[in-house]
C-alpha cells in the first residue's frame, strides 16, 4: 500500500490463504471494501490532516468541559490548532 501498487496489492489479496489469525480479518476487510481501497491507492490525496484536526478538537472538548466563557474556549482551539494551512495565527 505504501508503494501504491494496485497490481501487487490485488495479487496479495488473491493469493492469501487463511492462517486463522488477525491477518485474516484484515484481508477480509480489504476484500469487502476493495473498491474504496483501490480508489485510495489510485489517489495521491489523504484525509489524514483532517482526521488529526478532528481528533484534537474532540480531545479539547473532553478536557475543556465546563468552560464558562465561549471566547476562552475558542482561544483554546486557536492555540492548539495553530497551523499555517488551517487557522492563521
Amino acid at each position: 500500500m505504501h508503494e501504491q501498487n494496485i497490481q501487487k496489492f490485488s495479487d496479495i489479496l488473491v493469493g492469501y490463504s487463511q492462517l486463522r489469525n488477525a491477518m485474516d480479518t484484515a484481508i477480509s476487510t480489504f476484500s469487502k471494501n476493495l473498491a474504496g481501497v483501490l480508489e485510495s491507492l489510485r489517489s495521491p490525496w489523504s484525509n489524514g490532516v483532517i482526521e488529526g484536526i478532528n481528533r484534537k478538537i474532540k480531545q479539547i472538548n473532553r478536557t475543556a468541559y465546563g468552560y464558562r466563557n465561549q471566547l476562552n474556549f475558542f482561544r483554546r482551539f486557536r492555540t492548539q490548532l495553530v497551523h499555517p494551512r488551517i487557522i492563521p495565527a
Side-chain angles (χ1 to χ4, degrees):
M1 290 187 75
H2 290 289
E3 298 169 6
Q4 293 184 319
N5 188 337
I6 295 171
Q7 185 60 44
K8 192 179 208 182
F9 184 75
S10 297
D11 291 344
I12 290 171
L13 285 181
V14 170
Y16 181 77
S17 60
Q18 292 194 354
L19 302 172
R20 290 182 168 57
N21 61 15
M23 186 57 91
D24 293 346
T25 306
I27 295 294
S28 173
T29 302
F30 281 135
S31 298
K32 287 178 188 173
N33 301 310
L34 187 59
V37 171
L38 292 179
E39 188 59 36
S40 72
L41 290 175
R42 286 185 197 106
S43 174
W45 301 301
S46 171
N47 67 342
V49 174
I50 300 297
E51 292 296 328
I53 292 169
N54 287 343
R55 181 174 165 265
K56 280 189 174 187
I57 288 171
K58 287 181 181 182
Q59 285 178 333
I60 292 169
N61 279 332
R62 281 193 293 271
T63 59
Y65 180 74
Y67 266 89
R68 291 184 184 189
N69 187 343
Q70 191 175 17
L71 184 59
N72 289 341
F73 185 63
F74 289 136
R75 284 181 181 150
R76 175 80 184 261
F77 279 128
R78 279 183 78 90
T79 59
Q80 292 291 317
L81 298 177
V82 172
H83 192 283
R85 291 181 306 192
I86 301 166
I87 299 174

